[in-house]
Amino acid sequence: MTSIRTLAGTARPWRRRAGLPPLPPLLRLLIWTQLAFNIGFYAVLPFLAEHLGTAIGMAGWLVGLVLGLRTFSQQGLFVVGGVLADRYGIRPVVLAGCALRIVGFAWLGWAERTWAVVGAVLLIGFAAALFSPAVESEVARQAVVWEKAGGGPRTRVLALFSVAGQAGAFVGPLLGALLLAVDFRAVCLAGAGVFVLVLAGHLRLLPQHIPGRVAVVEGSDRTRTRGGIRALLRNRRFLALCLAYGVYSLAYNQLYLALPLEVERAVGSQAPLAWLFALSSVLVVTAQLPITHWAAARLDLRRSMAAGLLLLSAGFAAVAAARPADWTGAAGLLPSVALVVLLTLGQMLLAPAARAWVPDLADEGRLGLCTGALSSVSGLVVLAGSAATGSLLDAGLPAAVPWLVLTALPVAAVALLPRHRDAGPTR
């Protein structure tokens, strides 16, 4: 309840100051959906790496590969969920995804062999590959409709969507940390329980038919759907956006791979992780909307994404600069705090801008496909990059080297962004 009140309290003053009307019921439902999704997800994910390495005894490279497979089965297959949402509408896709997530979390709680863990995380990821692009594409679609009707800039709706997600990411790790005192299985069952509630709520509240939205089901529309992948592969500007977003996803994924190792090195345990994730979530809940408002007045979409990527790079550079000193204790946590803060600030500039850009680069009737492809390409980047990062962290290289490699990647990604003339104003 605290996160819900915080989210509502953050959104209402912002809308009053901006002179914006209340959001329509469907947008409100989708935003609360994101909150619930993340509560269930983040109750489990921050503690998965430690469980795999300590309780199951996986090597570092294998832990990185499993985490990368989870990301790939989620983001890498977003395109599947996006196409299904374009064709059948969001309701059946969201409900199917929730059901699969329940089964996946329950399976993970009892998985002890490598093949079982891999199967569970693939199912958990594929579940999100169904419901997340359906929800995200519909939020983007409805945000554009709201903007055209004079409701306000679409980036601010998408920022509120991010706030809801981070409010869930704040509550989730705290719930998981409490239940971890019992065991990891209790954490997984709690995550599954959240999705049981989401499934029941959406069976009742999610509309069967969304006004103004037609599913692609027959005739020439079916042909257009089948040709969508080819058209997408010819859309170089959109693919450039996808690759840059993939580097962002790989960087942000280090909160679950590299950060836990750095925290454990500094203090001998991963206990501070829950508080670092809470710090990230509090920053987004309190600062996302003001930062988006500031960026909308000063930066176009490309510059907003570029600034976000440079902040990601600065976060890794802070850890790289501190590692040779090998600080421990409270001082040893300072680089991790700097990393979390800078990655979060970068995310706040980058993520709403990327989502707002997609409708401008997507072909007519293929917003779900393009929303899914944005995450699918980034999933491929994370799959390759996570295993490579895990190997770097395990390779016995000088302490700063893996962090310097991570520092360079977001800087290189700035050059991948479509040119300024394609970005349009931040809206």
Side-chain angles (χ1 to χ4, degrees):
M1 289 298 296
T2 300
S3 64
I4 293 175
R5 288 171 184 155
T6 301
L7 176 61
T10 302
R12 287 171 188 157
W14 162 73
R15 286 202 305 265
R16 285 197 298 268
R17 287 195 302 270
L20 301 178
L23 296 177
L26 179 59
L27 266 177
R28 292 201 301 269
L29 174 63
L30 294 174
I31 288 169
W32 291 121
T33 295
Q34 181 71 354
L35 171 69
F37 282 170
N38 278 11
I39 289 174
F41 180 66
Y42 285 100
V44 178
L45 185 64
F47 311 101
L48 179 57
E50 182 181 16
H51 172 71
L52 297 179
T54 303
I56 298 182
M58 289 183 175
W61 71 268
L62 186 54
V63 172
L65 179 61
V66 169
L67 294 178
L69 285 171
R70 197 280 310 164
T71 302
F72 173 71
S73 64
Q74 176 174 324
Q75 294 182 327
L77 297 177
F78 260 38
V79 66
V80 175
V83 169
L84 292 174
D86 281 343
R87 182 164 185 177
Y88 299 110
I90 69 170
R91 179 182 165 88
V93 180
V94 169
L95 295 180
C98 288
L100 291 179
R101 178 60 63 91
I102 293 165
V103 175
F105 275 152
W107 185 6
L108 182 62
W110 271 263
E112 295 181 352
R113 298 179 181 271
T114 299
W115 68 266
V117 171
V118 170
V121 299
L122 288 175
L123 189 59
I124 288 168
F126 182 63
L130 292 179
F131 59 65
S132 287
V135 171
E136 289 177 15
S137 62
E138 197 58 46
V139 167
R141 189 193 317 276
Q142 296 299 324
V144 171
V145 171
W146 192 65
E147 177 184 72
K148 290 180 177 178
R154 73 179 79 166
T155 50
R156 296 177 188 173
V157 175
L158 295 165
L160 187 56
F161 186 74
S162 294
V163 170
Q166 286 300 321
F170 172 76
V171 174
L174 298 179
L175 174 63
L178 289 174
L179 293 172
L180 202 59
V182 180
D183 59 17
F184 184 73
R185 186 171 296 170
V187 175
C188 291
L189 289 176
V194 170
F195 278 89
V196 169
L197 296 176
V198 173
L199 179 62
H202 281 69
L203 278 169
R204 178 177 178 84
L205 298 175
L206 197 59
Q208 291 277 0
H209 302 287
I210 295 174
R213 189 186 192 285
V214 179
V216 179
V217 294
E218 62 182 357
S220 61
D221 286 339
R222 180 176 295 170
T223 302
R224 291 175 64 241
T225 300
R226 287 202 300 264
I229 298 295
R230 291 193 296 273
L232 186 149
L233 292 175
R234 292 194 297 268
N235 190 339
R236 294 182 180 179
R237 295 182 180 92
F238 177 71
L239 291 178
L241 175 65
C242 290
L243 289 173
Y245 193 78
V247 174
Y248 150 71
S249 297
L250 174 62
Y252 201 75
N253 198 57
Q254 300 316 306
L255 292 179
Y256 314 115
L257 179 58
L259 177 65
L261 297 176
E262 174 62 15
V263 168
E264 188 162 5
R265 181 206 63 79
V267 299
S269 78
Q270 296 187 13
L273 270 181
W275 298 106
L276 289 173
F277 280 107
L279 171 63
S280 174
S281 298
V282 168
L283 281 173
V284 175
V285 169
T286 58
Q288 176 71 78
L289 296 176
I291 285 176
T292 301
H293 182 73
W294 175 86
R298 295 166 178 82
L299 303 174
D300 60 35
L301 297 175
R302 187 181 192 279
R303 288 174 179 165
S304 186
M305 289 192 68
L309 287 166
L310 293 177
L311 284 170
L312 302 181
S313 182
F316 294 124
V319 181
R323 280 299 281 117
D326 203 28
W327 296 336
T328 58
L333 281 177
L334 291 177
S336 296
V337 173
L339 175 64
V340 169
V341 170
L342 289 168
L343 286 186
T344 304
L345 291 174
Q347 176 201 26
M348 286 192 277
L349 281 172
L350 194 151
R355 290 174 181 152
W357 205 343
V358 172
D360 293 336
L361 297 176
D363 293 331
E364 182 68 26
R366 291 175 178 148
L367 180 56
L369 169 64
C370 289
T371 299
L374 180 70
S375 292
S376 291
V377 173
S378 68
L380 288 169
V381 174
V382 172
L383 176 61
S386 290
T389 303
S391 297
L392 276 175
L393 293 168
D394 272 354
L397 298 169
V401 169
W403 298 98
L404 289 172
V405 173
L406 290 168
T407 299
L409 290 175
V411 175
V414 173
L416 295 174
L417 293 170
R419 294 294 93 196
H420 176 80
R421 65 185 175 83
D422 304 309
T426 299
R427 286 172 290 183

